Amino acid sequence: MIRIGVYGLGKISHRVIQGILYANNADLYAVCSSSLEKANAFKKEYSAEKAYDDYEQMLHDQNLDMIYICTPNYLHAKHIQMALKNFKHVICEKPMCVSSKELDECFDYAKKQNCFLMEAHKTVFTPLNQKLFEMISNGEIGQVKSIDAQYATRLTESISEWHFNQAGAGCMFDIGVYPICYANRMANSKIKQVFRLKDEALIEYENGCVAHIATSWDVSMENTSHIYGTKGSITCKNFWKNIVALINENRMIVSQKSDFTGEIEHACACVEKGLIESPVMSRMASLEILKVIGV
């Protein structure tokens, strides 16, 4: 059982913690916020063992195995390296880093410290998307030729100021990574070239597949993915978290308690196997995402 501490108790942390609680190989050990009152409230609500208001203090806890980082994007690299310095395994909310240089530095340091490091992309690890990837790999819709994936949401007052004026700001970093990650995974090929215009991109892969991804804070979209193969197609609305997809117009449903559990179970399984990098969400997978963003 991998004992996890969650650092950064914002809105997303509630869903992350639910994912940890449902995981069969993880234990919610600690929570940490700059406010001890908030940390204690989370500790009580989710039955964590420890609550901290100091990150360094939590990192010095010898009973802690892994940190799940939920802080703002521009702080990720700093907080990753602090955890690795204390020999803690790390899973970090997307985007893990705001540049390819930063990402390479983090993975190099993880290797030096012999610690596991992974970017948290639940999109890859939901039960539905794992099943779809398996079907595609088995050739059930033939050779994938085209992917279209979009995710847009109107801005709300709850969005933080750093989304606009810090490194890692902007719509592409915030929600654009979902269609990018999804397309990269389902294409299952290295990127050959990217054509990007503001918050859209056309991606050509080495295996011949072409993907169009789009995101926006300003307009509404269907938020649907379409995968077209030589023998059929797959359609899924809200593809980053859904449990239902249409396979050649046939409805497929999977069960899911939390859309975050899959990534957490995968990361913990990697640690239990002694791996320092995920074979699925690897350094290269994270670099390919940043390649589309253009950093």
Side-chain angles (χ1 to χ4, degrees):
M1 192 71 70
I2 304 299
R3 293 161 294 189
I4 301 177
V6 177
Y7 180 42
L9 302 181
K11 183 179 178 181
I12 194 67
S13 64
H14 289 278
R15 295 174 64 198
V16 168
I17 288 172
Q18 288 288 349
I20 294 170
L21 295 177
Y22 284 123
N24 59 27
N25 54 358
D27 176 51
L28 179 65
Y29 175 77
V31 290
C32 181
S33 169
S34 57
S35 164
L36 185 58
E37 181 180 2
K38 187 174 187 178
N40 277 324
F42 268 72
K43 175 188 174 184
K44 182 179 180 180
E45 181 176 0
Y46 296 111
S47 301
E49 291 187 40
K50 298 286 185 70
Y52 292 97
D53 63 352
D54 182 273
Y55 187 39
E56 283 277 11
Q57 187 180 1
M58 182 171 75
L59 291 174
H60 291 155
D61 190 326
Q62 296 301 308
N63 292 318
L64 187 62
D65 300 312
M66 177 185 286
I67 302 293
Y68 194 118
I69 296 173
C70 296
T71 55
N73 298 349
Y74 68 97
L75 295 173
H76 284 175
K78 174 185 176 181
H79 292 154
I80 288 168
Q81 297 205 25
M82 288 174 67
L84 294 173
K85 182 180 179 181
N86 287 275
F87 298 98
K88 304 301 183 187
H89 304 293
V90 178
I91 178 169
C92 181
E93 260 304 307
K94 56 75 190 169
M96 189 168 76
C97 292
V98 301
S99 71
S100 299
K101 179 178 181 295
E102 207 176 68
L103 188 136
D104 274 329
E105 289 173 351
C106 287
F107 271 100
D108 287 345
Y109 192 37
K111 184 176 181 179
K112 178 183 178 182
Q113 297 295 92
N114 195 35
C115 289
F116 177 82
L117 174 61
M118 188 183 86
E119 183 172 9
H121 272 290
K122 63 174 187 174
T123 306
V124 169
F125 297 106
T126 63
L128 178 64
N129 288 340
Q130 290 191 68
K131 179 63 177 176
L132 293 180
F133 181 78
E134 180 184 349
M135 293 175 67
I136 290 170
S137 299
N138 290 337
E140 293 188 34
I141 63 166
Q143 183 180 355
V144 174
K145 292 291 188 176
S146 177
I147 299 171
D148 184 83
Q150 54 186 243
Y151 184 8
T153 186
R154 298 280 187 172
L155 282 182
T156 66
E157 293 180 1
S158 63
I159 197 165
S160 302
E161 186 180 347
W162 65 261
H163 281 87
F164 300 95
N165 57 16
Q166 294 282 0
C171 183
M172 190 65 85
F173 272 112
D174 181 41
I175 56 176
V177 291
Y178 287 101
I180 295 170
C181 181
Y182 182 84
N184 286 356
R185 178 61 171 165
M186 297 307 178
N188 196 23
S189 173
K190 286 187 177 181
I191 294 172
K192 183 177 181 179
Q193 56 184 334
V194 178
F195 303 92
R196 186 176 162 204
L197 180 63
K198 198 178 178 181
D199 291 331
E200 294 188 52
L202 190 65
I203 310 166
E204 182 184 1
Y205 297 93
E206 291 182 357
N207 65 1
C209 179
V210 175
H212 169 254
I213 67 98
T215 188
S216 179
W217 280 338
D218 303 315
V219 302
S220 298
M221 296 180 181
E222 291 182 355
N223 291 349
T224 299
S225 67
H226 302 277
I227 304 174
Y228 301 100
T230 54
K231 296 180 181 178
S233 64
I234 298 171
T235 299
C236 182
K237 190 171 179 61
N238 298 335
F239 55 88
W240 59 92
K241 63 180 181 180
N242 211 337
I243 62 170
V244 181
L246 293 178
I247 318 295
N248 298 328
E249 304 303 324
N250 295 313
R251 187 179 173 93
M252 182 178 75
I253 304 176
V254 301
S255 62
Q256 173 180 281
K257 291 182 178 179
S258 165
D259 48 342
F260 283 83
T261 296
E263 65 177 10
I264 292 162
E265 288 185 340
H266 175 81
C268 290
C270 287
V271 170
E272 290 171 339
K273 293 174 184 176
L275 302 179
I276 61 171
E277 189 173 314
S278 164
V280 178
M281 271 310 303
S282 61
R283 177 202 299 235
M284 182 56 65
S286 292
L287 284 170
E288 292 282 89
I289 293 169
L290 291 178
K291 185 186 293 185
V292 179
I293 297 175
V295 289

